[in-house]
Amino acid sequence: MSAFIALLRRDLTLAFRVGGGPFLGLAFFLTVTALLPLGVGARLGLLGEAAAGFLWVAAALAALLSLDRLFQADAEDGTLDQLALGSLPLELAVLAKCLAHWLTTGLPLAFAAPVLALLLNMPIEGYLPLTLSLLIGSPVFSLAGAIGAALTAGLRRGGLLLSLLVLPLFVPVVIFGAGTVSLAMGGQSNLGAFLFLGAASLFALVLAPLAAAAALRIHLS
Amino acid sequence: MLRYANPKRFLDLSATLLPFLWVLAIALLGWGLYEAIFVVPPDYQQGDSVRIMYVHVPSAWMGSFIYGFMFIASVVGLVWKHPLADAAAKEAAPIGACFTAACLITGSLWGKPMWGTYWIWDARLTSMLVLLFLYLGYIGIWSAIEDRAKAARAAAILCVVGVINIPIIRFSVEWWDTLHQGPSVVRFENGKLSPSIDPSMLWPLLAAGLGCTFLFFALLFVRMRTEIARRRIRTLMSARAAA
């Protein structure tokens, strides 16, 4: 357990000192949000309708952008071999890295989302479901993304391939995540969509570290 | 099955089977498509455009069938680490991608006169498109990793993850939005499976579907034989370079 916490703390420290931590992700999130009105026009009605879906897509992209560094740096400098040799099972090491990734991307985005939703003129009843759904659903981005990151860890230009591998896995979460907001704004019950997001997160929490660790072992052997 | 996993046995067996596969594929597809184009009556609503169905539906079947085939081959490859299973999955992927693309393109051409649009973000269309992405990712990972054994295992893991995800994608896009009709070739009625289209249309459709299946195996065997030959040439050349 102490190895798990040590690895988590190391990754968080690295994220804060080298990559700017959560702020870089937030800056990306903000920039993309600023591009939307510039791209589709500043009609408030249109923006308000598209806001929830767009913020979910932006969250997926923000996760994707940082995913290709998830194992890459460690694979290059040999840290990954050390992790595989250590007492901590590789599956738990993957989980620690996913958790660190989510704490620096998914979690800050969830809290920033209402502010950006305000910029995009989203109706106020959507704020709570948007934040909650991002909190519950965005771990899937880090977890399922880790599978793709592990598969492409040893490759020199894995970034583009990574998005092709991972985006299909994001489809259900984006559908139900944005669904929670549009259902709430339509005055319907969104409990089912929330339950689905929770199920997807738990499912990924159990299976993704196994698959990602198996993929990492390919590159280590 | 593992008895035939020996490349030598596979080469012998596939050489014997290939002519039959080609004949069956051409005969069934030929008859099915002849019936579909010249014999089957035009639909009372859709007119002649209904004939697209005889290409569209078999392609859709094959798109899913081949991914299932790749899944089985990938699991066999992961468990028994057999190169022939890896080769089967690898060589099946481009064929599956082509069938999936054919399904999307014919569906889009059919959609324009019937639904009034080439493309809509409907559940079945979307899940088929995602299936195409899964195929492309699978092909991509094979070409990105140089070491064959590593590429095989990485691709197999990706294929297994994809199979777990397909039902979830399918279910979620259906919940999301749907315009495409449900499965309508066979239906459960009064507790038994019964065809819901007239035999004069059902048989050509089944023949086309079966013809596509034989075509797939014929193409797969040819591709696998080529792959085995390619591997042999590479071994010979590196042996010669070393000598």
Side-chain angles (χ1 to χ4, degrees), chain B residues 99-180:
Chain B
F99 273 117
T100 310
C103 168
L104 286 170
I105 292 167
T106 53
S108 157
L109 292 175
W110 196 5
K112 183 65 186 169
M114 288 310 112
W115 296 338
T117 173
Y118 284 113
W119 185 264
I120 49 156
W121 289 98
D122 152 85
R124 284 193 149 199
L125 280 75
T126 311
S127 56
M128 217 57 194
L129 188 66
V130 173
L131 182 64
L132 183 65
F133 292 154
L134 286 173
Y135 273 120
L136 294 181
Y138 183 88
I139 298 169
I141 204 155
W142 264 107
S143 58
I145 303 179
E146 276 170 41
D147 184 308
R148 257 198 63 93
K150 286 184 180 180
R153 293 188 54 202
I157 291 176
L158 180 69
C159 182
V160 171
V161 170
V163 164
I164 296 172
N165 208 43
I166 281 179
I168 304 176
I169 294 172
R170 195 57 183 266
F171 160 71
S172 44
V173 288
E174 248 155 55
W175 178 86
W176 170 53
D177 191 14
T178 200
L179 171 68
H180 194 291

Side-chain angles (χ1 to χ4, degrees), chain B residues 67-107:
Chain B
Y67 205 86
F69 174 87
M70 282 163 52
F71 170 67
I72 294 170
S74 298
V75 171
V76 171
L78 273 180
V79 174
W80 286 285
K81 303 222 164 42
H82 206 289
L84 203 62
D86 297 333
K90 179 193 176 200
E91 300 305 327
I95 312 175
C98 286
F99 273 117
T100 310
C103 168
L104 286 170
I105 292 167
T106 53

Side-chain angles (χ1 to χ4, degrees), chain A residues 151 165 168-169 172 175-176 218 221, chain B residues 137 150 153-154 158 165 172-173:
Chain A
L151 284 171
L165 300 185
L169 304 180
I175 291 177
F176 283 93
I218 299 172
S221 62
Chain B
K150 286 184 180 180
R153 293 188 54 202
L158 180 69
N165 208 43
S172 44
V173 288

Side-chain angles (χ1 to χ4, degrees), chain A residues 49-114:
Chain A
E49 253 179 70
F54 172 77
L55 288 174
W56 262 94
V57 172
L61 290 180
L64 206 59
L65 214 64
S66 43
L67 272 172
D68 69 324
R69 298 305 294 169
L70 191 58
F71 301 114
Q72 194 78 16
D74 287 348
E76 279 163 5
D77 66 8
T79 313
L80 207 57
D81 298 87
Q82 300 299 322
L83 283 177
L85 290 172
S87 59
L88 190 68
L90 195 54
E91 284 79 6
L92 282 181
V94 168
L95 193 61
K97 293 186 86 67
C98 289
L99 185 58
H101 180 261
W102 180 71
L103 286 175
T104 48
T105 58
L107 187 66
L109 295 195
F111 288 115

Side-chain angles (χ1 to χ4, degrees), chain A residues 2-215:
Chain A
S2 63
F4 183 87
I5 291 171
L7 182 59
L8 178 66
R9 188 177 293 159
R10 165 188 174 267
D11 267 29
L12 286 177
T13 314
L14 273 178
F16 271 94
R17 293 200 183 146
V18 183
F23 304 107
L24 205 62
L26 286 179
F28 172 80
F29 212 33
L30 182 65
T31 336
V32 178
T33 308
L35 279 181
L36 179 73
L38 298 177
V40 304
R43 275 168 295 161
L44 287 180
L46 184 71
L47 287 177
E49 253 179 70
F54 172 77
L55 288 174
W56 262 94
V57 172
L61 290 180
L64 206 59
L65 214 64
S66 43
L67 272 172
D68 69 324
R69 298 305 294 169
L70 191 58
F71 301 114
Q72 194 78 16
D74 287 348
E76 279 163 5
D77 66 8
T79 313
L80 207 57
D81 298 87
Q82 300 299 322
L83 283 177
L85 290 172
S87 59
L88 190 68
L90 195 54
E91 284 79 6
L92 282 181
V94 168
L95 193 61
K97 293 186 86 67
C98 289
L99 185 58
H101 180 261
W102 180 71
L103 286 175
T104 48
T105 58
L107 187 66
L109 295 195
F111 288 115
V115 182
L116 298 172
L118 181 81
L119 288 179
L120 293 176
N121 190 39
M122 191 167 94
I124 195 137
E125 57 270 31
Y127 287 18
L128 187 62
L130 179 68
T131 310
L132 275 180
S133 66
L134 275 168
L135 273 179
I136 298 172
S138 63
V140 178
F141 292 156
S142 301
L143 289 161
I147 303 176
L151 284 171
T152 55
L155 307 178
R156 222 161 283 134
R157 290 181 45 79
L160 269 180
L161 181 62
L162 173 70
S163 24
L164 185 62
L165 300 185
V166 159
L167 280 180
L169 304 180
F170 288 0
V171 168
V173 189
V174 171
I175 291 177
F176 283 93
T180 56
V181 183
S182 54
L183 284 174
M185 292 197 299
Q188 289 167 291
S189 161
N190 55 8
L191 182 65
F194 270 118
L195 290 177
F196 180 90
L197 281 181
S201 267
L202 292 174
F203 194 65
L205 185 67
V206 176
L207 289 183
L210 294 177

